[in-house]
């Protein structure tokens, strides 16, 4: 048997794609015109079956880096000792809950564990509906909040193929071209309008649910502060403010550990996922205790795998690495370097319509040079061009014309420079 890695010829890729379609059915998509077959990861590097090394500038899940030894060891240690669930007394679960809650404002005093961000949002909606007695939810126009029935209904970015929920109203995401006070007032007025519209249909409001970096709306962190008046507006109407931190949380945005903190608001419920377990399925909801009361007194909650001792050991190890390696500070520093480099590229390339970002979450909006219209074609070309240069990113936004750059938080100055060089080269060709 040959020990050399299989070469990814076109035939080999085609055979794998055919097997995927046959085995996994039609709902899955792969990235890139020439899909990447990965076999190993380390830090911000991914290694292909073709023997090539790829720079991962996309995967926020592996926040402390792929296969971080401290996280792997914690997982293996706990798995070798005990893995049960939340129906037994367990020190690991409680120690992690304490450590995690210490990262939140004191008002947010309780945590419930799930396995995915979708489950966390689904649970947050159930809690909000139990607390308020309302049903209506306000989301942004191109939001994504998950795969369950309730969260897919709150995810207009899934497109026309997924019916919008009858209990869901949409508001436009701020475009960043305004100061904080105006953007805040405008969004709050939109929330008021959505609440008025739902009341006309006999629906009471339950919540405003917002991804605090507005990732699928095209990465819209600016201006900081715009979420606070919107949170006030939904509360004045009797609803709750749910901050979806699945994308922004755990130090990604640099200067603050949570996206809501940039907006100077303390949410009623916070949902988390993706980076929480660095790839292990760990997610959850953090809540104000008074908000959990109604749900908890009526409903029994048991999530078989959510918050298992192994998951909590992993979550604890992730927090330890984030803190020990000062990764939020690294995100702020390297994110600023990346943004500086992108500004230089944008200064000589009129196809870059806007740059938006916070920490290591950056959106590069692309337009057609001649018409100035959003250019999903250019975004597709750039994403695939970078892939050919072994740098992995993707695209997002309502028009799919915003490059989404969101590397592991261990991203270095050198890796940022490599990404910028590859992007310049791609745009030139
Ligand atoms: C903002 C946001 N919320 C929720 C989810 C759903 O998380 P999961 O895929 O873990 O169910 C996602 C996933 O992309 C997300 O981006």
């Amino acid at each position: 048997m040959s020990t050399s890695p299989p070469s990814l010829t076109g035939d080999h890729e085609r055979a794998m794609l055919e097997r995927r379609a046959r085995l996994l059915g039609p709902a899955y998509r792969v990235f890139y015109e020439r899909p990447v077959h990965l076999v190993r990861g380390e830090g911000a590097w991914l290694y292909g079956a073709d023997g090539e090394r790829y720079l991962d500038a996309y995967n926020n899940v592996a926040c402390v880096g792929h296969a971080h030894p401290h996280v792997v060891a914690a997982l293996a240690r706990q798995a070798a000792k005990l893995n049960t669930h939340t129906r037994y007394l367990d020190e690991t679960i409680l120690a992690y809950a304490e450590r995690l809650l210490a990262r939140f404002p004191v008002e947010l005093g309780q945590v419930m564990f799930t396995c995915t961000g979708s489950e966390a949002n689904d649970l947050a909606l159930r809690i909000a509906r139990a607390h308020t007695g309302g049903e209506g939810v306000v989301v942004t126009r191109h939001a994504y909040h998950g795969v369950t029935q309730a969260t897919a209904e709150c995810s207009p970015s899934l497109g026309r193929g997924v019916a919008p929920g009858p209990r869901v109203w949409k508001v436009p995401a701020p475009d960043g071209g305004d100061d904080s006070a105006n953007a805040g007032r405008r969004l709050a007025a939109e929330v008021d309008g959505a609440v008025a519209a739902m009341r006309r249909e006999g629906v009471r409001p339950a919540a405003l649910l917002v991804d605090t970096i507005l990732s699928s709306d095209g990465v819209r962190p600016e201006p900081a502060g715009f979420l606070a008046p919107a949170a006030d507006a939904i509360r004045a109407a009797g609803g709750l403010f749910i901050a979806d931190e699945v994308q922004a949380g755990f130090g990604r945005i640099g200067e603050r550990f949570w996206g809501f903190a940039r907006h100077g608001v303390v949410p009623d419920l916070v949902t988390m996922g993706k980076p929480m377990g660095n790839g292990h399925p760990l997610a959850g909801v953090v809540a104000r205790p008074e908000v959990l009361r109604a749900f908890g007194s009526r409903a029994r909650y048991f999530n078989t795998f959510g918050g298992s001792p192994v998951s909590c050991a992993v979550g604890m190890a992730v927090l330890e690495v984030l803190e020990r390696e000062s990764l939020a500070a690294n995100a702020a520093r390297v994110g600023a370097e990346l943004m500086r480099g992108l500004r230089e590229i944008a200064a000589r390339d009129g196809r870059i319509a806007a740059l938006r970002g916070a920490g290591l979450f950056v959106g590069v909006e692309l337009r057609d040079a001649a018409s100035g219209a959003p250019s999903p074609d250019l975004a597709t070309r750039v994403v695939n061009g970078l892939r050919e240069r072994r740098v992995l990113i993707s695209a997002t936004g309502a028009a799919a014309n915003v490059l989404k750059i969101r590397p592991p938080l261990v991203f270095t100055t050198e890796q940022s420079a490599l990404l910028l060089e590859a992007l310049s080269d791609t745009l030139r060709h």
Side-chain angles (χ1 to χ4, degrees), residues 115-405:
C115 304
T116 68
S118 302
E119 280 186 348
N121 281 327
D122 195 288
L123 176 60
L125 291 172
R126 290 178 66 198
I127 294 168
R129 285 172 171 149
H131 177 77
T132 61
E135 285 289 321
V137 181
V138 183
V139 299
T140 53
R141 193 170 279 162
H142 208 67
Y144 180 72
H145 293 292
V147 296
T148 67
Q149 181 73 34
T151 58
E153 285 182 355
C154 290
S155 300
S157 69
L158 289 171
R160 293 210 183 94
V162 178
R167 302 176 293 180
V168 177
W169 277 260
K170 293 178 279 186
V171 292
D175 62 11
D178 215 341
D179 65 31
S180 180
N182 277 336
R185 259 196 301 276
R186 213 189 301 272
L187 186 60
E190 294 284 355
V191 171
D192 286 340
V195 168
M198 71 175 77
R199 287 200 201 282
R200 281 197 295 279
E201 311 235 338
V203 177
R204 281 166 58 196
L208 167 66
L209 168 62
V210 184
D211 161 4
T212 56
I213 190 128
L214 294 152
S215 169
S216 55
D217 282 284
V219 187
R220 298 181 181 280
E222 298 298 344
F226 72 72
L227 276 177
D232 290 343
I234 194 70
R235 285 171 176 150
L240 300 182
F241 174 55
I242 307 173
D244 180 335
E245 293 285 336
V246 168
Q247 291 280 351
F250 291 91
R252 167 131 318 258
I253 56 165
E255 80 262 46
R256 302 291 177 95
F257 206 70
W258 305 109
F260 64 77
R262 278 186 82 241
H263 289 279
V265 59
V266 178
D268 300 297
L269 292 157
V270 178
T271 58
M272 308 159 289
K274 290 188 189 280
M276 191 172 175
N278 206 51
H280 182 85
L282 172 61
V285 180
V286 166
R288 295 176 186 254
E290 65 273 22
V291 163
L292 269 191
R293 208 165 294 133
F295 178 79
S297 62
R298 274 182 245 146
R300 172 175 63 79
Y301 178 79
F302 174 59
N303 186 321
T304 303
F305 304 116
S308 73
V310 165
S311 295
C312 289
V314 168
M316 181 75 104
V318 170
L319 284 180
E320 284 164 357
V321 176
L322 285 168
E323 288 165 16
R324 265 187 221 164
E325 299 185 12
S326 306
L327 292 182
N330 188 66
R333 187 177 55 77
V334 180
E337 289 165 5
L338 177 62
M339 195 53 107
R340 256 196 310 279
L342 288 169
R343 276 197 208 100
E344 284 170 21
I345 296 175
R348 35 174 213 271
D349 194 325
R351 294 171 298 173
I352 296 181
L355 293 170
R356 294 186 290 268
L360 276 173
F361 203 136
V362 176
V364 182
E365 187 170 323
L366 298 177
R367 65 184 165 204
D368 182 75
S371 69
S375 183
D377 292 348
L378 178 58
T380 302
R381 280 207 308 281
V382 170
V383 167
N384 283 291
L386 281 171
R387 178 257 176 264
E388 294 306 323
R389 290 161 179 81
R390 294 184 296 283
V391 175
L392 306 181
I393 66 160
S394 186
T396 187
N401 67 322
V402 180
L403 303 179
K404 181 159 72 168
I405 303 175

